[in-house]
Amino acid sequence: MGRDTPTEPKDVKDRGLHARHAGDPTLASYLSSFLFVLSVPGFVLLSYAGYWQGWYPYSWILGVFGGLMAATIALVFALMHVLTGR
């Protein structure tokens, strides 16, 4: 049965927004979020820019976008692996 009354506001650490360590966000976490928030519109623009420049046909735009996303994710994970040593 659902509850109709809201619960009391909780502190950030109590809500569990930061997995495992319950600490404050770090600069790396902000940069990671910033990268992925800006990467989608940036990659859409880059995909269309390549088409507008005549580098590939219109039907390739989605594939180029997917390739850019996959390459970026692989690059970021490789960088994290190297920097954290895990």
Side-chain angles (χ1 to χ4, degrees), residues 4-76:
D4 295 323
T5 57
T7 59
E8 62 196 43
K10 294 182 179 179
D11 187 10
V12 171
K13 293 178 181 177
D14 293 337
R15 285 184 281 168
L17 293 180
H18 309 290
R20 294 192 192 151
H21 55 79
D24 293 329
T26 62
L27 177 63
S29 67
Y30 282 122
L31 290 175
S32 174
S33 298
F34 189 65
L35 169 73
F36 286 115
V37 164
L38 292 181
S39 66
V40 171
F43 290 161
V44 167
L45 184 64
L46 281 174
S47 299
Y48 273 100
Y51 164 70
W52 293 327
Q53 293 295 319
W55 294 341
Y56 44 81
Y58 183 79
S59 61
W60 287 20
I61 292 175
L62 187 59
V64 170
F65 171 77
L68 287 170
M69 283 298 293
T72 300
I73 290 171
L75 180 69
V76 168

